[in-house]
Amino acid sequence: MGHDKSSPNDRRGSRSDGEDAYERDRPSRTTRRGDRKRDRSRDRSGNRKRHRRSRSPNDAPRRRSTSGDRDRDRGKRSEHRRRRSRDQDKRSEQGSSRRRARDDNYDGRDGGGKQIVKRSGPLPSQANSFAVTQGEEPSKPKEKPNYGNSGALAAASNSIVQSDGSKIVLKYHEPPEARKASPKDQWKLFVFKGEDIIDTVPISGRSCWLVGREMAVVDLPAEHPSISKQHAVIQFRYIEKRNEYGDRIGKVKPYLIDLESANGTMLNGKRVPESRYLELREKDMIQFGQSTREYVVMLAPKD
């Protein structure tokens, strides 16, 4: 192995020369290091620009939210929720207080202190709307209590005192629907005996015609012995009916009723039931008891 035979002074000289060269090359090394740093920062900025969301020029600059901003937003939301819950509680309390007040004040009377009547059916003005409209009559209301005279008292009030002091009790009185016939309807009663017309009676001038042998009270005398004193009645009545459209149509028409006579009343050859109204139509033929006289109902033609 060889040894460096250079003197110590030479080695010191060569080392000082190397140090001088190193010192001279330091600026260039610093410049290269700075260039490398700038290149790395440029690369990082380029990557950030590529990953950054594209924004239009009109977009406002975004501010990075901080923990303080998040706390403020959270506080605003919680305050809004509390305010909304308070409003809902207030509205529910007001509604419940109004209901309680209404329940407390309601005692079945209106504001004026009058008793409120509860109805289970339609109002009186709506009764016709709830009626059957298929040409049928509406259901009849319940019969109201009758405080009129009855029995012996009724017989005494419907009696006629004659000149000799005797009383004649009337077996019939007119119903509430009794009416006179319309002036346009001229009803007549033609009395036949065999083929001859022995009498013509215009019956439209009054509402009731009592037929019988009691001359003091009857309106149409019939002297045959088989006819009762108060045998039958021809009564004009106003009756309302409904047509196929549900409209109410009323008209005054003649009716026949038998007053429980001994020998009965015949209508068109058939005996009529007692104490029951039967409508009379034009050309109907009536017979009382066993009399051969025929009473034909006719309606004069209209002009």
Side-chain angles (χ1 to χ4, degrees), residues 152-162 165-172 217 230:
L153 185 58
S157 62
N158 292 332
S159 61
I160 296 177
V161 180
Q162 301 188 75
S166 62
K167 293 182 179 180
I168 299 176
V169 178
L170 298 176
K171 295 174 63 177
Y172 177 81
V217 295
Q230 299 178 45

Side-chain angles (χ1 to χ4, degrees), residues 1 30 37 57-58 76 81 95 130 157 161 164 182 189 195 228 234 237 266 287 302:
M1 177 178 295
T30 305
K37 289 181 179 180
N58 297 329
K76 289 180 179 179
R81 285 194 296 270
F130 287 84
S157 62
V161 180
D164 58 356
S182 172
L189 198 63
E195 298 293 334
S228 301
I234 297 175
R237 304 168 64 209
M266 307 292 289
Q287 289 179 293
K302 298 180 181 179

Side-chain angles (χ1 to χ4, degrees), residues 104-127:
D104 294 339
N105 294 332
Y106 179 75
D107 59 349
R109 299 179 181 272
D110 59 1
K114 297 180 180 180
Q115 184 70 26
I116 299 175
V117 179
K118 295 183 179 181
R119 299 180 182 274
S120 59
L123 296 176
S125 60
Q126 298 175 338

Side-chain angles (χ1 to χ4, degrees), residues 232-300:
V233 172
I234 297 175
Q235 175 72 61
F236 283 91
R237 304 168 64 209
Y238 177 78
I239 302 298
E240 285 187 348
K241 291 185 179 180
R242 289 181 178 272
N243 59 9
E244 57 183 356
Y245 302 105
D247 301 327
R248 294 196 303 177
I249 299 176
K251 194 172 182 180
V252 177
K253 295 182 180 180
Y255 288 81
L256 175 66
I257 183 172
D258 182 82
L259 302 180
E260 299 179 356
S261 60
N263 297 307
T265 304
M266 307 292 289
L267 178 62
N268 297 326
K270 296 181 180 180
R271 184 164 179 167
V272 300
E274 299 177 353
S275 303
R276 181 177 177 183
Y277 287 109
L278 293 179
E279 182 182 348
L280 293 175
R281 298 176 182 176
E282 190 177 5
K283 299 181 181 180
D284 280 350
M285 190 264 292
I286 307 170
Q287 289 179 293
F288 302 105
Q290 297 176 1
S291 174
T292 57
R293 293 189 180 186
E294 299 175 351
Y295 299 81
V296 179
V297 180
M298 296 295 294
L299 179 61

Side-chain angles (χ1 to χ4, degrees), residues 134-146:
Q134 301 296 328
E136 301 177 2
E137 295 185 4
S139 57
K140 295 182 180 180
K142 294 182 178 180
E143 186 177 357
K144 296 181 179 180
N146 184 10

